């Protein structure tokens, strides 16, 4: 599913306003990298912690995949005008 940032601003506002009982709950998780832990290990551990606390399914998509997706959208035309 596309991320909120990949849809146009007008559509984002329409979708937000059409939700009558919008309720957002934010749970802040304390994450501290372990001493001697590499940035990659810390990132993977943080990712696993977010997956466990959010009850979301893990994804194999990477940041590079996201950049390619956005590039594809821009090449297809101005996607910000679409509703």
């Amino acid at each position: 599913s596309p991320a909120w940032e990949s849809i146009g601003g007008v559509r984002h506002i329409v979708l937000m306003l059409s939700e009558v009982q919008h309720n957002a709950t934010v749970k802040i998780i304390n994450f501290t990298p372990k001493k001697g832990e590499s940035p990659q290990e810390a990132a993977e551990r943080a990712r696993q912690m977010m997956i466990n606390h959010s009850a979301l399914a893990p994804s194999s998509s990477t940041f590079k995949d996201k950049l390619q997706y956005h590039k594809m959208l821009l090449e297809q035309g101005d996607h910000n005008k679409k509703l």
Side-chain angles (χ1 to χ4, degrees):
S1 68
W4 283 105
E5 61 201 24
S6 64
I7 64 173
V10 173
R11 181 174 177 159
H12 180 80
I13 292 171
V14 168
L15 290 173
M16 285 181 58
L17 294 176
S18 65
E19 179 62 43
V20 179
Q21 295 180 346
H22 179 73
N23 184 6
T25 303
V26 178
K27 181 178 180 181
I28 299 176
I29 303 166
N30 186 12
F31 177 80
T32 306
K34 294 179 180 177
K35 189 173 183 175
E37 186 175 42
S38 73
Q40 292 81 8
E41 292 169 333
E44 181 58 32
R45 201 164 56 83
R47 180 179 177 273
Q48 287 301 322
M49 185 181 289
M50 288 188 288
I51 290 170
N52 293 338
H53 284 85
S54 66
L56 296 173
S59 172
S60 61
S61 297
T62 64
F63 184 67
K64 186 176 180 180
D65 296 331
K66 178 180 176 178
L67 293 177
Q68 289 175 344
Y69 174 71
H70 283 269
K71 183 179 177 183
M72 178 196 67
L73 288 177
L74 289 173
E75 289 172 352
Q76 289 179 357
D78 188 8
H79 66 281
N80 289 326
K81 293 183 180 178
K82 295 180 183 175
L83 285 176

